[in-house]
Amino acid sequence: MKTVLVTGGAGFIGSHTCINLIENNYRLIVVDSNINSSPKSIERIRQLFKNKSIDLSDLLNFFHGDIRDKNFLNQIFANAKKDKSPIEAVLHFAGLKSVEDSFKDPMLYWENNVVGSLTLFEVMQSFNCNTVVFSSSATVYGITSQKSVDESSVINPNNPYGQTKAAVENLLEGIFKSYSDKWRIANLRYFNPIGAHESGLIGEDPNDKPNNLFPIICRVAGGTYKNLKIFGRDWPTIDGTGVRDYIHVMDLADSHRCALDFLLNNQPQFLNLNIGTGKGTSVLELIQIFSDVNECDISYEFCERRPGDLPVVIANNRKAIELLNWCPKKNLYDMCLDGWNWQKLNPNGYK
Ligand code: NAD
Ligand code: WQD
């Protein structure tokens, strides 16, 4: 059984990926500062497996700490080595992710996301652990007139958050160029992950108020918010509202397991991969599906466009599908059903 380190594993995507990895026979060490998550997500993962009579005490170990703390990371790698289960790969989710906040405090974003990643890669190198799957984002792409973006599209992020993601991708590319006989690297560029684990035990629970569309729709459905403000009704799209590529978080989780398997079973290499469904959905279409599936009304009003928004962002996901033996399986119906199920069962998240 291989041991892997999951940074940011208590967060939204990390926690869902932990479930998939455990189901696929990986032993996990999770580190998280909980700056944007609750350690209770890890307890919920334990509960989920306990319900199936599986005890995770040896398979899932959580350590509270910050990836910028080199001593902390050294200790994690050294202890795993001492226990005769050295860390063989890292899934690197830890990072701050709000575009809006990154404009308010760019230095914090560079420090946390870039310096944190650099510290992690240095420690990995010193323990001869050279396999990493990095959480990148579709936000690294510049504005394009293509119908969907492929991995060769121009990288030109228009916000500090995206710039930190592009910088870490660059850093990894540089590491690969210098040690191309050793490092196995996959930058997964996620599009718009939504939904939750079908059990309703695990889901998205940001510490601050959410900025993204789907958690806001859930809060309107649950009555926490009065209505949804739709940013613009005059985009050049099917109905004037923004079009995005929404992907179920469990499909996204599965792409990590597939990327990890692929890297571990192949030659050292450096990969950039779009992770989306390749299908576009407008804000109004998403509201309609959510209302139909969950039999509820989502009240909304139209507002000004949000600065920095694009009309259409859709993945060309062919490379990931061809290379990884991965394919998204869930549709918007599942995303809306599972996301709302989580929200209904946990109106205050993990609190
Ligand atoms: P999240 O905030 O739920 O999870 C990130 C986790 O990292 C949190 O648990 C947080 O506490 C932890 N963390 C942050 N900085 C840390 C540090 N210095 N040390 C240790 N832990 C730290 O976010 P998410 O939605 O699960 O996203 C995971 C990753 O994927 C992030 O890197 C994010 O930028 C990236 N991403 C997310 C999306 C999205 O829409 N959710 C899209 C593209 C990329
Ligand atoms: C989706 C659509 C909005 C909120 C962001 C990041 C990206 C990635 C995913 C991390 C757009 C509209 C939204 C609202 C609205 N995250 N909207 N009212 O902007 O595609 O991507 O999250 O890497 O980097 O930029 O996602 O969910 O914010 O917006 O009308 O209250 O919903 O205009 O068309 P976005 P989103």
Side-chain angles (χ1 to χ4, degrees), residues 22-46:
I22 295 166
E23 285 170 348
N24 285 283
N25 285 321
Y26 284 98
R27 180 176 174 272
L28 307 185
I29 298 174
V30 174
V31 298
D32 201 303
S33 65
N34 296 125
I35 187 160
N36 196 38
S37 58
S38 163
K40 290 205 177 114
S41 61
I42 301 294
E43 290 314 310
R44 290 286 184 90
I45 296 175
R46 291 190 203 287

Short mmCIF file of all heavy atoms in Angstrom, two decimals, residues 22-46:
data_model
loop_
_atom_site.label_atom_id
_atom_site.label_comp_id
_atom_site.label_asym_id
_atom_site.label_seq_id
_atom_site.Cartn_x
_atom_site.Cartn_y
_atom_site.Cartn_z
N ILE A 22 -8.74 6.57 -0.41
CA ILE A 22 -8.82 5.47 0.56
C ILE A 22 -9.54 4.29 -0.09
O ILE A 22 -9.10 3.14 0.05
CB ILE A 22 -9.57 5.93 1.84
CG1 ILE A 22 -8.77 7.02 2.55
CG2 ILE A 22 -9.80 4.75 2.77
CD1 ILE A 22 -9.54 7.78 3.61
N GLU A 23 -10.59 4.58 -0.84
CA GLU A 23 -11.31 3.50 -1.53
C GLU A 23 -10.42 2.78 -2.53
O GLU A 23 -10.69 1.66 -2.92
CB GLU A 23 -12.54 4.06 -2.26
CG GLU A 23 -13.68 4.41 -1.32
CD GLU A 23 -14.80 5.20 -1.99
OE1 GLU A 23 -14.62 5.68 -3.14
OE2 GLU A 23 -15.85 5.35 -1.36
N ASN A 24 -9.37 3.47 -2.98
CA ASN A 24 -8.47 2.88 -3.97
C ASN A 24 -7.13 2.48 -3.36
O ASN A 24 -6.09 2.48 -4.04
CB ASN A 24 -8.29 3.84 -5.15
CG ASN A 24 -9.52 3.84 -6.04
OD1 ASN A 24 -9.73 2.93 -6.82
ND2 ASN A 24 -10.38 4.84 -5.88
N ASN A 25 -7.19 2.15 -2.06
CA ASN A 25 -6.04 1.52 -1.39
C ASN A 25 -4.82 2.39 -1.19
O ASN A 25 -3.70 1.88 -1.22
CB ASN A 25 -5.61 0.25 -2.13
CG ASN A 25 -6.60 -0.85 -1.86
OD1 ASN A 25 -7.07 -0.97 -0.73
ND2 ASN A 25 -6.95 -1.59 -2.89
N TYR A 26 -5.01 3.67 -1.03
CA TYR A 26 -3.89 4.51 -0.62
C TYR A 26 -3.99 4.77 0.89
O TYR A 26 -5.08 4.84 1.45
CB TYR A 26 -3.92 5.85 -1.37
CG TYR A 26 -3.44 5.74 -2.80
CD1 TYR A 26 -4.34 5.65 -3.85
CD2 TYR A 26 -2.07 5.73 -3.09
CE1 TYR A 26 -3.89 5.54 -5.17
CE2 TYR A 26 -1.62 5.63 -4.41
CZ TYR A 26 -2.53 5.54 -5.43
OH TYR A 26 -2.08 5.43 -6.73
N ARG A 27 -2.82 4.90 1.51
CA ARG A 27 -2.75 5.30 2.91
C ARG A 27 -2.45 6.80 2.92
O ARG A 27 -1.56 7.24 2.19
CB ARG A 27 -1.62 4.51 3.59
CG ARG A 27 -1.45 4.81 5.03
CD ARG A 27 -0.37 3.90 5.64
NE ARG A 27 -0.14 4.31 7.00
CZ ARG A 27 0.75 5.24 7.35
NH1 ARG A 27 1.51 5.80 6.44
NH2 ARG A 27 0.87 5.58 8.62
N LEU A 28 -3.20 7.56 3.72
CA LEU A 28 -3.10 9.02 3.61
C LEU A 28 -2.54 9.69 4.85
O LEU A 28 -2.89 9.34 5.99
CB LEU A 28 -4.48 9.63 3.35
CG LEU A 28 -5.30 9.07 2.18
CD1 LEU A 28 -6.58 9.89 2.02
CD2 LEU A 28 -4.49 9.09 0.89
N ILE A 29 -1.68 10.67 4.60
CA ILE A 29 -1.28 11.60 5.65
C ILE A 29 -1.81 12.96 5.19
O ILE A 29 -1.46 13.43 4.09
CB ILE A 29 0.26 11.66 5.81
CG1 ILE A 29 0.77 10.28 6.23
CG2 ILE A 29 0.66 12.73 6.81
CD1 ILE A 29 2.28 10.18 6.27
N VAL A 30 -2.68 13.55 5.99
CA VAL A 30 -3.28 14.82 5.60
C VAL A 30 -2.70 15.93 6.46
O VAL A 30 -2.63 15.79 7.69
CB VAL A 30 -4.82 14.77 5.79
CG1 VAL A 30 -5.45 16.13 5.52
CG2 VAL A 30 -5.44 13.70 4.89
N VAL A 31 -2.27 17.02 5.82
CA VAL A 31 -1.89 18.21 6.59
C VAL A 31 -2.77 19.38 6.14
O VAL A 31 -3.07 19.53 4.97
CB VAL A 31 -0.39 18.58 6.44
CG1 VAL A 31 0.52 17.49 6.94
CG2 VAL A 31 -0.04 18.94 5.01
N ASP A 32 -3.17 20.16 7.12
CA ASP A 32 -4.03 21.32 6.81
C ASP A 32 -3.94 22.32 7.96
O ASP A 32 -3.91 21.92 9.13
CB ASP A 32 -5.49 20.86 6.61
CG ASP A 32 -6.30 21.86 5.81
OD1 ASP A 32 -6.38 23.03 6.23
OD2 ASP A 32 -6.85 21.48 4.77
N SER A 33 -3.86 23.60 7.62
CA SER A 33 -3.83 24.64 8.66
C SER A 33 -5.24 25.01 9.08
O SER A 33 -5.43 25.77 10.03
CB SER A 33 -3.13 25.89 8.11
OG SER A 33 -3.91 26.44 7.05
N ASN A 34 -6.23 24.51 8.35
CA ASN A 34 -7.65 24.81 8.59
C ASN A 34 -7.96 26.30 8.49
O ASN A 34 -8.91 26.79 9.10
CB ASN A 34 -8.14 24.26 9.94
CG ASN A 34 -8.07 22.74 9.99
OD1 ASN A 34 -7.46 22.18 10.89
ND2 ASN A 34 -8.66 22.09 9.01
N ILE A 35 -7.16 27.02 7.70
CA ILE A 35 -7.45 28.44 7.50
C ILE A 35 -8.78 28.61 6.76
O ILE A 35 -9.47 29.62 6.93
CB ILE A 35 -6.29 29.18 6.80
CG1 ILE A 35 -6.57 30.67 6.78
CG2 ILE A 35 -6.01 28.66 5.41
CD1 ILE A 35 -5.38 31.53 6.58
N ASN A 36 -9.12 27.63 5.96
CA ASN A 36 -10.42 27.71 5.27
C ASN A 36 -11.18 26.39 5.33
O ASN A 36 -11.86 26.00 4.38
CB ASN A 36 -10.21 28.12 3.80
CG ASN A 36 -11.52 28.58 3.16
OD1 ASN A 36 -12.32 29.24 3.82
ND2 ASN A 36 -11.74 28.22 1.91
N SER A 37 -11.06 25.71 6.45
CA SER A 37 -11.75 24.41 6.57
C SER A 37 -11.87 24.04 8.03
O SER A 37 -11.31 24.71 8.90
CB SER A 37 -10.98 23.32 5.83
OG SER A 37 -9.67 23.23 6.36
N SER A 38 -12.58 22.94 8.26
CA SER A 38 -12.74 22.45 9.62
C SER A 38 -12.12 21.07 9.71
O SER A 38 -12.30 20.25 8.80
CB SER A 38 -14.23 22.37 9.94
OG SER A 38 -14.43 21.56 11.07
N PRO A 39 -11.44 20.77 10.84
CA PRO A 39 -10.91 19.40 10.99
C PRO A 39 -12.04 18.38 11.08
O PRO A 39 -11.80 17.18 10.92
CB PRO A 39 -10.11 19.48 12.31
CG PRO A 39 -10.55 20.72 12.99
CD PRO A 39 -11.10 21.65 11.95
N LYS A 40 -13.26 18.89 11.26
CA LYS A 40 -14.40 17.95 11.35
C LYS A 40 -14.62 17.21 10.02
O LYS A 40 -15.20 16.13 10.01
CB LYS A 40 -15.68 18.70 11.73
CG LYS A 40 -15.66 19.18 13.16
CD LYS A 40 -17.05 19.37 13.71
CE LYS A 40 -16.99 19.78 15.17
NZ LYS A 40 -17.47 21.13 15.44
N SER A 41 -14.15 17.80 8.91
CA SER A 41 -14.33 17.08 7.64
C SER A 41 -13.59 15.74 7.71
O SER A 41 -14.06 14.73 7.17
CB SER A 41 -13.81 17.92 6.46
OG SER A 41 -12.43 18.18 6.61
N ILE A 42 -12.47 15.72 8.41
CA ILE A 42 -11.69 14.48 8.53
C ILE A 42 -12.46 13.48 9.41
O ILE A 42 -12.52 12.28 9.12
CB ILE A 42 -10.29 14.77 9.12
CG1 ILE A 42 -9.53 15.78 8.22
CG2 ILE A 42 -9.49 13.49 9.32
CD1 ILE A 42 -9.17 15.28 6.84
N GLU A 43 -13.08 14.02 10.47
CA GLU A 43 -13.91 13.14 11.33
C GLU A 43 -15.05 12.54 10.53
O GLU A 43 -15.41 11.38 10.71
CB GLU A 43 -14.46 13.93 12.53
CG GLU A 43 -13.41 14.32 13.54
CD GLU A 43 -12.49 13.15 13.87
OE1 GLU A 43 -13.00 12.06 14.17
OE2 GLU A 43 -11.25 13.33 13.78
N ARG A 44 -15.64 13.36 9.65
CA ARG A 44 -16.75 12.86 8.84
C ARG A 44 -16.29 11.74 7.89
O ARG A 44 -17.02 10.80 7.63
CB ARG A 44 -17.35 14.00 8.01
CG ARG A 44 -18.11 15.03 8.83
CD ARG A 44 -19.45 14.49 9.29
NE ARG A 44 -20.22 15.48 10.01
CZ ARG A 44 -21.08 16.34 9.44
NH1 ARG A 44 -21.27 16.29 8.14
NH2 ARG A 44 -21.75 17.21 10.17
N ILE A 45 -15.07 11.88 7.38
CA ILE A 45 -14.55 10.81 6.50
C ILE A 45 -14.43 9.52 7.31
O ILE A 45 -14.83 8.44 6.87
CB ILE A 45 -13.18 11.20 5.89
CG1 ILE A 45 -13.34 12.42 4.99
CG2 ILE A 45 -12.59 10.04 5.09
CD1 ILE A 45 -12.03 12.98 4.42
N ARG A 46 -13.93 9.66 8.55
CA ARG A 46 -13.83 8.47 9.41
C ARG A 46 -15.21 7.85 9.64
O ARG A 46 -15.39 6.64 9.58
CB ARG A 46 -13.23 8.84 10.78
CG ARG A 46 -11.78 9.21 10.71
CD ARG A 46 -11.20 9.31 12.13
NE ARG A 46 -10.01 10.16 12.14
CZ ARG A 46 -8.84 9.80 11.64
NH1 ARG A 46 -8.69 8.61 11.12
NH2 ARG A 46 -7.82 10.63 11.66
#
